[in-house]
Amino acid sequence: MKQDMIVILDLGSHENTVLARAIRALGVYSEIYPHDITVEELKALPNVKGIIINGGPNNVIDGVAIDVNPEIYSVGIPVMAAGHDKALCEVKLGEFANDMEAIKEAVKPFVFDTCKAEANWNMTNFVNDQIELVRRQVGDRKVLLALSGGVDSSVVAALLLKAIGDKLVCVHVNHGLMRKGESEDVVEVFKNQLNANLIYKDVTDRFLDKLAGVADPEEKRKIIGGEFIRVFEEEARKLDGIDFLAQGTIYPDIVESGTKTAKMVKSHHNVGGLPEDLKFELVEPLRQLFKDEVRACGLELGLPHEMVFRQPFPGPGLGVRCLGAITRDRLEAVREADAILREEFQKAGLDKKVWQYFTVVPDFKSVGVRDNARSFDWPVIIRAVNTVDAMTATIEPVDWPILMKITDRILKEVKNVNRVCYDMSPKPNATIEWE
Ligand code: XMP
């Protein structure tokens, strides 16, 4: 089905993505394009019903004032200028301070009355369209997907399963740094419930051997990322006749930032670094979606709520929460304490409120007392933060009784631990993760 589209031209405003999301929330599809789009490029886009020129006071880039190509005014598509002096219809988005509801109200008359756009953007239509498109792109050939269990790759897997069934081959690499039960959930949902063609590789020993004695956080990241690609590559080479690589690229990966006004479309590779001779065409069915839309798409496809609303989890996993050189006993302590924290946050309803929460185990011990004897064990640090974009973050003021319950359980249930601390530091000066 052809959906109507409102094109946003980027003149360096920070509100581009908020504006696009607001228009989509009205049920009309919207995409962001560079300010200097040509008339030909504009005409080649399907079903454009209106154009919003969105530039704040910053439309001077590198000392050069930038403006749209004046020819776009004569294409015959309604144009609205939001917030600069060429305003045909003055909407000061900045004044709304990213208030989605206010922005929706402000653009509604333009979208529906002036442009006569139809509100036909919804997840059911999106999923059906993508299934059609993927079937057309892939035909009888096969698609490979690195299924981490994160929101994006899980939704891609569910969508491709609907579209092409067993022509999708998923590889789940368990690097031993996953949270408790996470790899098992991926196997349960995709292999057992959805009958996906899933290759499960438990390479815990291989990763932990490579990481043994490595204390530098960046070195750890490099080893984990590099080894992940090698395992994935080994599996890809074992398979015959794969032409496509599916990726969970989403719209923010493509837009990058509202201030990027030059050629802005840049491919973002979640599985970057594969060798040149492994040539795949890309299948990226989520490339139009914002994160909240990806979640809505996952629900539409019937994925479990916990999988769709999973909190962000770093690629290097618990590897950057088991500080310094990773040892199996401390890794186990991080994993068990994290599972307790997640369980108690869920019971208290905090899992729906707090953006990211986890445990950290540092590589030093302290003296304690257990069963009337001296102990010398690791501390567990609890961290719970709220943020919009992960650039800055505030801590969650967790109620004392909840923290005491979690502390009690960690001290009773987690081996080799004798102390629990709560991290009070916002970002900045701290970062969200400890490494
Ligand atoms: P920081 O610690 O930089 O984290 O304040 C910001 C957000 O990014 C996540 N994070 C990572 N994600 N690979 C990832 O995929 C990484 O190496 C990595 N390091 C941090 C972090 O969990 C937080 O959500």
Side-chain angles (χ1 to χ4, degrees):
M1 111 167 264
K2 283 239 170 79
Q3 70 229 351
D4 288 350
M5 168 152 76
I6 301 291
V7 164
I8 296 168
L9 295 187
D10 172 20
L11 271 171
S13 162
H14 293 294
E15 286 97 31
N16 285 324
T17 49
V18 188
L19 182 57
R21 289 181 52 214
I23 296 170
R24 290 186 189 191
L26 289 170
V28 179
Y29 186 60
S30 177
E31 281 187 0
I32 303 160
Y33 285 91
H35 70 285
D36 56 357
I37 190 169
T38 65
V39 169
E40 289 69 36
E41 285 166 333
L42 192 62
K43 282 183 173 162
L45 299 175
N47 284 21
V48 178
K49 294 288 174 175
I51 299 167
I52 299 182
I53 301 169
N54 191 34
N58 314 325
N59 51 359
V60 175
I61 305 279
D62 296 333
V64 181
I66 55 164
D67 204 347
V68 297
N69 175 0
E71 289 172 31
I72 62 149
Y73 291 98
S74 49
V75 176
I77 300 170
V79 180
M80 178 173 90
H84 66 70
D85 57 341
K86 280 216 185 74
L88 302 179
C89 164
E90 184 74 4
V91 177
K92 291 202 175 74
L93 295 175
E95 283 177 11
F96 295 133
N98 290 353
D99 177 339
M100 183 69 84
E101 286 310 309
I103 297 174
K104 272 162 71 177
E105 284 309 309
V107 293
K108 218 174 185 174
F110 177 73
V111 171
F112 294 114
D113 304 339
T114 312
C115 303
K116 308 261 183 291
E118 215 183 296
N120 54 7
W121 164 254
N122 60 49
M123 270 311 137
T124 313
N125 288 346
F126 173 81
V127 167
N128 291 336
D129 282 355
Q130 288 305 318
I131 287 175
E132 238 353 89
L133 286 171
V134 169
R135 282 184 185 152
R136 233 180 285 158
Q137 183 187 6
V138 172
D140 276 338
R141 293 178 290 168
K142 284 190 189 158
V143 181
L144 182 64
L145 169 71
L147 176 57
S148 67
V151 180
D152 302 340
S153 69
S154 298
V155 175
V156 170
L159 201 145
L160 293 188
L161 267 174
K162 275 234 158 100
I164 55 169
D166 62 4
K167 280 174 284 184
L168 171 70
V169 183
C170 302
V171 176
H172 176 72
V173 177
N174 178 359
H175 49 25
L177 306 166
M178 306 289 280
R179 287 175 293 195
K180 190 173 179 175
E182 216 159 23
S183 283
E184 291 81 353
D185 284 351
V186 171
V187 173
E188 172 57 28
V189 170
F190 287 98
K191 199 178 180 95
N192 301 348
Q193 293 176 21
L194 299 173
N195 279 322
N197 194 348
L198 172 70
I199 297 165
Y200 172 70
K201 287 299 289 182
D202 185 345
V203 280
T204 301
D205 290 340
R206 175 169 165 173
F207 271 68
L208 294 188
D209 288 350
K210 280 260 169 199
L211 286 163
V214 181
D216 178 70
E218 286 317 307
E219 191 58 27
K220 283 162 70 176
R221 274 197 171 73
K222 238 187 264 165
I223 291 173
I224 297 166
E227 207 55 24
F228 180 89
I229 290 168
R230 268 188 292 281
V231 174
F232 189 72
E233 181 200 338
E234 284 165 23
E235 291 310 307
R237 287 194 193 283
K238 284 185 207 158
L239 297 162
D240 250 0
I242 303 259
D243 292 304
F244 297 91
L245 183 70
Q247 291 197 336
T249 313
I250 69 173
Y251 199 52
D253 300 333
I254 291 171
V255 176
E256 284 274 313
S257 92
T259 53
K260 191 165 176 191
T261 55
K263 283 287 162 236
M264 52 166 289
V265 178
K266 167 174 167 260
S267 189
H268 169 106
H269 295 276
N270 291 337
V271 190
L274 281 177
E276 269 294 298
D277 68 316
L278 268 183
K279 278 210 175 70
F280 296 112
E281 263 180 72
L282 292 184
V283 177
E284 298 177 308
L286 309 182
R287 55 183 295 126
Q288 289 170 276
L289 301 186
F290 288 109
K291 195 77 184 189
D292 52 335
E293 295 171 324
V294 173
R295 296 190 208 279
C297 183
L299 292 179
E300 174 78 25
L301 289 159
L303 284 180
H305 193 274
E306 314 83 71
M307 198 166 251
V308 167
F309 287 91
R310 182 184 188 264
Q311 54 167 318
F313 187 57
L318 300 181
V320 289
R321 295 176 181 171
C322 180
L323 305 187
I326 298 169
T327 57
R328 287 176 194 253
D329 60 346
R330 281 193 308 116
L331 185 60
E332 226 22 57
V334 181
R335 196 181 339 258
E336 290 300 323
D338 174 78
I340 292 170
L341 179 73
R342 284 194 286 148
E343 207 179 302
E344 293 302 325
F345 262 43
Q346 195 181 11
K347 279 190 207 155
L350 288 173
D351 58 326
K352 296 195 178 60
K353 179 176 175 238
V354 182
W355 196 80
Q356 197 172 11
Y357 45 97
F358 54 88
T359 55
V360 173
V361 173
D363 52 350
F364 57 80
K365 290 181 172 180
S366 76
V367 175
V369 54
R370 185 175 212 134
D371 302 329
N372 294 322
R374 179 188 192 271
S375 72
F376 192 49
D377 277 324
W378 313 110
V380 165
I381 297 154
I382 297 173
R383 185 130 174 84
V385 297
N386 291 305
T387 174
V388 174
D389 54 10
M391 303 294 285
T392 61
T394 54
I395 62 148
E396 170 71 18
V398 181
D399 286 344
W400 217 238
I402 299 172
L403 282 178
M404 285 163 78
K405 170 100 186 285
I406 296 166
T407 301
D408 188 53
R409 281 197 59 191
I410 290 176
L411 292 178
K412 280 200 181 104
E413 296 172 36
V414 183
K415 280 192 208 122
N416 308 312
V417 167
N418 64 359
R419 233 173 250 275
V420 178
C421 308
Y422 190 71
D423 183 351
M424 299 288 289
S425 331
K427 174 180 181 177
N429 288 6
T431 51
I432 294 177
E433 303 288 347
W434 272 54
E435 283 194 335

